[in-house]
Amino acid sequence: MNFYRLFILFIVIIAGAPSNAQEKPVPYKLPEQGKNDTIRVASTNESGEMIPWIPLNEVVIYGVRIFKSPADRAAYNRLRYNVLKVMPYALYAKRRYAQLERDLALTTDRKSHKKLIKQCDAEIKQMFKNEIKELTITQGQILTKLIDREVGRTTFDIVKETQGGVRAFLYQSVARVVGHNLKSTYNPEEERDIESIITSSGYYQQ
């Protein structure tokens, strides 16, 4: 009985195979090409007609902000200027720190680790010496928050990981004297204006 059922199942499979093999592809019609149609694009067979299409980048539309007073507008414009002033430094820190982590992952030699960390530290110090030292207190405060936003670690944590807790404590002590806090974190809910400025700045649309 079991052999009989297997035999019937085998017959059904054999009978169904030719029907699948005999399926013919759906004919399609290509659009007429002009003399300037030289760009290859993707297409979709829609009921026998090939429809060309091109994927487009995302388009973000922002509303026009209305301020309650000229003073509010001026304050927002100052904030925008300060954010755009320090944003390149935060992005540089993100790239340099990511590069350092990749380089450290490629070697297990302790001496090489120290050399890579020292090189990274020297580059960042050079940037501070030439440019960042000219920032205002407000711009410095925004920068520490943006570093946390981009790197995922506070400036204090980065210094502590690369140069040790003692050096991080000393840097934090000096920073507090001039109104900075290397432990500042970034909360997009609390920093809605900064987040709006960053998302509309074009830094992430390249």
Side-chain angles (χ1 to χ4, degrees):
M1 186 66 177
N2 291 335
F3 175 78
Y4 178 75
R5 290 179 179 176
L6 290 175
F7 180 76
I8 295 298
L9 178 60
F10 180 76
I11 295 298
V12 172
I13 293 175
I14 294 298
S19 61
N20 294 332
Q22 293 176 359
E23 290 183 0
K24 297 181 179 180
V26 178
Y28 57 88
K29 177 183 178 182
L30 293 174
E32 296 183 1
Q33 295 184 352
K35 62 179 182 178
N36 296 324
D37 293 335
T38 58
I39 301 176
R40 292 181 178 273
V41 297
S43 60
T44 301
N45 188 343
E46 183 67 30
S47 301
E49 183 175 359
M50 300 302 292
I51 307 298
W53 55 272
I54 300 176
L56 301 176
N57 295 329
E58 179 184 5
V59 177
V60 182
I61 300 176
Y62 300 97
V64 177
R65 181 164 182 170
I66 300 177
F67 297 92
K68 294 182 179 180
S69 66
D72 289 341
R73 179 186 293 276
Y76 180 83
N77 288 338
R78 286 195 301 272
L79 177 63
R80 178 179 175 80
Y81 172 81
N82 290 332
V83 170
L84 297 182
K85 175 74 174 181
V86 302
M87 188 63 184
Y89 303 129
L91 293 176
Y92 171 82
K94 177 181 180 180
R95 293 191 300 268
R96 190 61 187 88
Y97 193 71
Q99 179 184 340
L100 175 61
E101 289 187 325
R102 290 193 300 268
D103 294 341
L104 293 177
L106 295 176
T107 178
T108 57
D109 182 60
R110 189 172 183 179
K111 185 176 181 181
S112 298
H113 276 212
K114 290 184 177 180
K115 182 178 180 180
L116 290 170
I117 292 174
K118 186 176 181 180
Q119 181 181 358
C120 178
D121 183 45
E123 292 182 13
I124 293 177
K125 281 184 177 179
Q126 187 67 24
M127 182 178 66
F128 270 88
K129 179 180 179 181
N130 294 338
E131 301 181 47
I132 295 182
K133 70 176 183 179
E134 302 296 335
L135 298 179
T136 65
I137 293 178
T138 300
Q139 291 169 352
Q141 293 170 342
I142 295 174
L143 176 59
T144 55
K145 292 183 179 182
L146 294 188
I147 288 178
D148 179 64
R149 180 186 189 273
E150 297 301 323
V151 180
R153 296 178 177 89
T154 64
T155 305
F156 182 87
D157 291 335
I158 294 175
V159 175
K160 183 177 180 180
E161 291 177 11
T162 57
Q163 302 183 42
V166 176
R167 187 68 64 85
F169 175 78
L170 293 176
Y171 282 4
Q172 171 70 348
S173 300
V174 174
R176 297 296 288 177
V177 172
V178 295
H180 294 282
N181 182 9
L182 302 184
K183 297 182 180 180
S184 296
T185 57
Y186 184 83
N187 187 332
E189 293 297 326
E190 298 177 358
E191 308 291 350
R192 293 184 179 180
D193 285 343
I194 294 179
E195 189 69 17
S196 174
I197 292 170
I198 293 174
T199 55
S200 62
S201 63
Y203 279 111
Y204 300 100
Q205 299 176 7
Q206 299 177 357

